[in-house]
């Protein structure tokens, strides 16, 4: 399997977009930016706190579109699942002894590792770690009022 193709928006942000290879950027469908979505009702405390912390930042950066919302919901849900596994493993331990006397890693520890892997993949998609954030060059918002005349008709 070859390398995954970078989305055109990522290439544009990195400055590597080439119209001769990637096509006309005006014809690329751009999903609607999410407005004011409510957190899903199934989220527990950890996932809800993560939603409330990260959602506003993703909206400010125009990263979260309507088609990305299910993936973000899954990311928040994974935060709950990881926490549940950690609580369970704190009580039961990472290892157990099988009926034959073998010392084995607890299935919950294996599941937690899988959840963490899925979480890290989703965090990469939204630029929520230093490496993936470094790949995108987001211009800071201009907080100073602009000087000069407004364009005619506005």
């Amino acid at each position: 399997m070859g390398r995954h193709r970078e989305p055109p928006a990522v290439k544009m942000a990195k400055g590597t977009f080439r119209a001769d290879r990637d096509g006309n950027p005006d014809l690329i469908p751009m999903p609607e930016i999410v407005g004011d979505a409510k957190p899903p009702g199934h989220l527990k405390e950890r996932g809800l706190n993560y939603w409330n912390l990260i959602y506003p930042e993703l909206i400010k950066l125009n990263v979260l579109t309507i088609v990305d919302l299910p993936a973000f919901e899954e990311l928040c849900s994974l935060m709950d699942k990881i926490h549940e596994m950690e609580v369970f493993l704190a009580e039961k331990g990472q290892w157990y002894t099988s009926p034959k006397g073998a010392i084995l890693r607890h299935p919950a520890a294996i599941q937690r590792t899988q959840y963490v892997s899925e979480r890290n993949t989703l965090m990469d998609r939204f630029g929520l770690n230093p490496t993936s954030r470094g790949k995108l060059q987001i211009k800071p918002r201009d907080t100073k009022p602009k000087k000069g005349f407004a364009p005619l008709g506005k």
Side-chain angles (χ1 to χ4, degrees):
M1 183 177 196
R3 287 181 52 187
H4 291 285
R5 197 171 168 182
E6 282 188 325
V10 173
K11 287 184 176 186
M12 284 187 233
K14 290 166 97 176
T16 59
F17 183 86
R18 287 183 44 183
D20 61 325
R21 290 186 179 174
D22 300 309
N24 184 348
D26 296 330
L27 299 177
I28 298 168
M30 294 306 231
E32 180 183 336
I33 299 296
V34 174
D36 188 25
K38 302 290 183 223
H42 65 82
L43 291 179
K44 297 178 184 159
E45 182 181 2
R46 185 68 54 109
L48 190 59
N49 288 342
Y50 193 74
W51 176 287
N52 291 331
L53 178 70
I54 301 300
Y55 178 85
E57 294 301 316
L58 294 177
I59 295 300
K60 281 184 205 172
L61 297 172
N62 291 331
V63 172
L64 193 60
T65 66
I66 196 75
V67 297
D68 301 317
L69 197 55
F72 183 66
E73 288 176 5
E74 181 62 25
L75 174 59
C76 294
S77 182
L78 283 166
M79 295 306 221
D80 282 332
K81 292 175 183 178
I82 291 167
H83 180 69
E84 287 173 15
M85 291 296 115
E86 288 171 347
V87 169
F88 179 84
L89 291 168
E91 182 184 323
K92 302 287 184 183
Q94 295 273 334
W95 305 93
Y96 75 100
T97 305
S98 74
K100 294 184 179 180
I103 297 176
L104 303 171
R105 191 167 182 213
H106 200 287
I110 297 168
Q111 186 63 55
R112 183 195 174 280
T113 300
Q114 180 63 35
Y115 288 155
V116 168
S117 176
E118 291 174 28
R119 179 202 62 194
N120 292 345
T121 299
L122 287 172
M123 288 179 81
D124 282 347
R125 289 186 187 175
F126 292 108
L128 296 174
N129 63 45
T131 304
S132 64
R133 197 168 36 253
K135 292 178 185 176
L136 297 176
Q137 298 174 3
I138 300 171
K139 294 179 183 177
R141 292 180 181 257
D142 187 14
T143 56
K144 296 179 183 176
K146 294 183 180 180
K147 294 181 180 179
F149 296 104
L152 290 176
K154 294 206 177 200

